[in-house]
Amino acid sequence: MRNELTRRGFLGAIAAAGVGLEVSENRVAAQGRPQVEVCNPLRRTPLSLIIDDSCPVINKAYYWIKQRHDWRLKYKPDSAPDGWEVHYDKLDKMPHAIPAAFAAEWGEWCGEQGVRGKFSMVPFPAGVGRIDQGFPGFPEQELKDWLRVTKETIWKSFDLTPEMLTHTHVVDLKTWKLTDQWEQGEWVDPPVDQLTEYITAAMQLLKNVGIACDGVTSPGAFGKRKEIAYARAVLDAALAVNHNPRPFYFLNMEMEKMPEVPLRHVDKAKGHAIASIIGCGGDWFGATGYDTSNPDLFITADLQGGRLPAVLAQECPAILVGHWPCFYVNDRIGFQVLKEVKKRLDAYDPDKTKTIWMKNSEIGRYWMARELSDLSVNGAECRINTKFPTDNFTLALHDRALKRVQVNGTDLRQVKSQRDFRSGTFLVNGKETFVAFDLKAGDMALSLSM
Ligand SMILES: [Zn+2]
């Protein structure tokens, strides 16, 4: 994407100077446009849906507001309510729990629609109960049902991550009691020496119920003032708990500039890295169920306005962010918005040639493959060496209309249209050839016949 933009800018400058465009195209090629470039997966722009604050059994908004209110009266009685606490007067309308049956309905809908992304599973939500030990005061069957639905239905389309331990108070890991500190309060600037142990504990609780997570979600801005140390702690915890050398974390949102996929703590020799997944807009689904909910902020009915068309036009990953409570409470307001947004996105890309829904982990791994693989072209051979495998790896070979492409000796099938362009195929478009295949760790060789 960045190369494309630079290229367009360069051509624009020449065209403005009165030089013929055809000549300038040749000059660009002659002046060292790389012979091969990595494109977006299958030449489609990633879409992804992040769901934060989802917990087994409980409605986190209810407990967060209640605990924050109690904490403020105790420690800062003269201050005004902040964040979700402004909804304290609506607590009696908010359910304490969100049923597993609803999670099943929501997850099945996403599966049918092809919506993919990330779904938090807060492992000790609000300190009410540990996911691996049970929730006192709630029917045992609900937790069992939640675990079944999460693993059997939601996991197919969504990464499951902790959103640290409680998403309210910090836990003392020696006693498993809640402290007076807040994960998204004091731990915005976290004690670095405790971070890895804390994140490891969060991942381990999910592991104890059979969920090997692919990354983490920050509750609020948890870790933000020490982001590099935080990213290191997540990578170390992922290696320790799940032997996962390429995890991701979700901490940041980019509301105006184009979102990127920064990679941190890269070790090319070992094949280790961690991706920062960045949301491209606000939660316009409704957060608690009583906050801003407006599909037009994502994409307007005429498909021109809103944040998503602006991001998709630049071919940057368009990652939507919503908070789980709103999908259920207040007449399922967030679910209604999601259905409308999905309908509009389908209208924006009716033949599915422009966009592709991906899990957060799939986006992170694609960007690692894209930026950390070594590519070289020598005559009719393209060689790739990587420790960062991915599905749907897509290359553009410039100034080559190819007749035949083989990957490690196996022919790719030629397709005639972008609609049919899949992993295992190649597509010729004018003087360019696009190839897509699953990139394996190690060496791969493409033979290119004109
Ligand atoms: Zn959250």
Side-chain angles (χ1 to χ4, degrees):
M1 185 277 305
R2 225 170 302 149
N3 286 334
E4 265 304 299
L5 283 180
T6 317
R7 192 160 72 84
R8 261 182 238 140
F10 180 58
L11 285 174
I14 292 171
V19 182
L21 204 62
E22 216 181 311
V23 176
S24 59
E25 282 252 54
N26 290 336
R27 278 178 55 181
V28 174
Q31 283 180 0
R33 177 166 65 149
Q35 295 183 71
V36 59
E37 282 181 272
V38 185
C39 310
N40 269 338
L42 306 177
R43 305 175 74 217
R44 292 161 167 97
T45 306
L47 281 165
S48 196
L49 173 63
I50 280 179
I51 302 294
D52 281 358
D53 293 29
S54 26
C55 308
V57 184
I58 71 159
N59 173 12
K60 200 221 77 174
Y62 175 87
Y63 288 92
W64 192 98
I65 292 167
K66 202 163 174 300
Q67 291 179 3
R68 190 69 183 172
H69 186 73
D70 293 345
W71 179 90
R72 192 173 57 80
L73 293 188
K74 189 170 169 193
Y75 292 103
K76 292 189 176 174
D78 298 329
S79 66
D82 68 339
W84 287 3
E85 196 200 331
V86 298
H87 298 302
Y88 185 73
D89 61 341
K90 302 182 195 77
L91 268 193
D92 58 348
K93 288 194 247 177
M94 292 187 190
H96 299 200
I98 297 180
F102 174 74
E105 181 188 334
W106 184 91
E108 279 157 20
W109 182 86
C110 288
E112 285 160 13
Q113 292 284 321
V115 171
R116 295 168 79 77
K118 184 276 308 177
F119 189 88
S120 285
M121 277 297 270
V122 184
F124 185 27
V128 172
R130 275 176 48 159
I131 193 170
D132 58 343
Q133 292 181 349
F135 288 66
F138 292 87
E140 248 182 77
Q141 190 59 40
E142 261 304 285
L143 178 57
K144 283 189 188 147
D145 288 348
W146 254 97
L147 288 175
R148 182 178 44 76
V149 167
T150 311
K151 289 197 270 184
E152 291 178 8
T153 305
I154 296 176
W155 207 356
K156 286 191 186 127
S157 309
F158 293 82
D159 296 307
L160 302 175
T161 73
E163 195 164 336
M164 264 13 115
L165 278 166
T166 68
H167 205 316
T168 62
H169 291 273
V170 171
V171 179
D172 179 341
L173 293 180
K174 289 189 192 74
T175 61
W176 283 88
K177 297 268 184 288
L178 303 187
T179 70
D180 290 330
Q181 295 198 322
W182 281 67
E183 289 185 344
Q184 66 190 100
E186 292 82 353
W187 282 39
V188 168
D189 192 353
V192 170
D193 58 339
Q194 294 172 48
L195 261 185
T196 307
E197 188 189 7
Y198 203 79
I199 297 165
T200 299
M203 290 183 174
Q204 187 61 51
L205 260 53
L206 290 190
K207 186 77 178 287
N208 292 350
V209 294
I211 297 170
C213 65
D214 275 305
V216 300
T217 302
S218 277
F222 177 101
K224 192 167 178 101
R225 286 201 205 130
K226 299 217 174 88
E227 183 173 346
I228 299 304
Y230 168 51
R232 179 79 247 172
V234 176
L235 176 54
D236 288 344
L239 282 164
V241 178
N242 296 312
H243 310 292
N244 180 348
R246 295 184 294 282
F248 71 90
Y249 65 97
F250 167 51
L251 165 64
N252 295 304
M253 318 256 264
E254 187 58 79
M255 310 293 279
E256 281 162 23
K257 285 191 291 183
M258 286 302 126
E260 300 194 355
V261 185
L263 305 179
R264 314 215 184 272
H265 303 295
V266 170
D267 184 332
K268 271 180 80 165
K270 285 189 179 155
H272 293 183
I274 178 163
S276 167
I277 298 295
I278 298 183
C280 81
D283 177 354
W284 302 310
F285 293 104
T288 59
Y290 296 95
D291 297 283
T292 304
S293 63
N294 183 353
D296 294 352
L297 297 175
F298 290 109
I299 178 168
T300 52
D302 66 4
L303 316 178
Q304 306 294 311
R307 179 63 169 156
L308 299 179
V311 173
L312 292 171
Q314 298 297 323
E315 298 174 16
C316 294
I319 299 175
L320 297 71
V321 180
H323 291 79
W324 177 240
C326 71
F327 291 86
Y328 178 68
V329 306
N330 195 13
D331 232 0
R332 304 174 164 201
I333 180 91
F335 202 5
Q336 295 175 43
V337 172
L338 175 60
K339 286 176 176 171
E340 184 60 32
V341 168
K342 176 61 172 47
K343 202 168 82 186
R344 293 179 188 178
L345 284 171
D346 286 345
Y348 176 91
D349 183 18
D351 52 6
K352 299 188 176 12
T353 53
K354 292 191 284 194
T355 59
I356 181 169
W357 285 92
M358 296 171 77
K359 292 185 179 183
N360 284 192
S361 61
E362 292 168 337
I363 294 173
R365 288 182 179 183
Y366 195 89
W367 254 254
M368 290 176 195
R370 170 182 226 157
E371 294 184 15
L372 305 175
S373 300
D374 294 321
L375 302 175
S376 63
V377 178
N378 191 352
E381 188 178 65
C382 172
R383 295 198 78 86
I384 307 165
N385 175 271
T386 194
K387 292 211 165 147
F388 299 89
T390 184
D391 291 345
N392 297 333
F393 194 61
T394 303
L395 299 175
L397 294 145
H398 300 305
D399 303 310
R400 283 165 192 258
L402 297 175
K403 294 232 159 42
R404 186 178 183 194
V405 180
Q406 290 178 303
V407 177
N408 285 356
T410 301
D411 271 296
L412 297 186
R413 182 170 58 88
Q414 183 168 7
V415 293
K416 297 287 181 202
S417 76
Q418 169 67 14
R419 190 198 299 245
D420 298 325
F421 189 50
R422 294 277 177 279
S423 188
T425 70
F426 71 102
L427 172 68
V428 180
N429 189 354
K431 287 193 288 182
E432 290 188 303
T433 301
F434 300 96
V435 302
F437 54 96
D438 292 347
L439 180 66
K440 309 287 181 212
D443 286 307
M444 293 186 91
L446 272 59
S447 85
L448 315 169
S449 313
M450 299 277 269

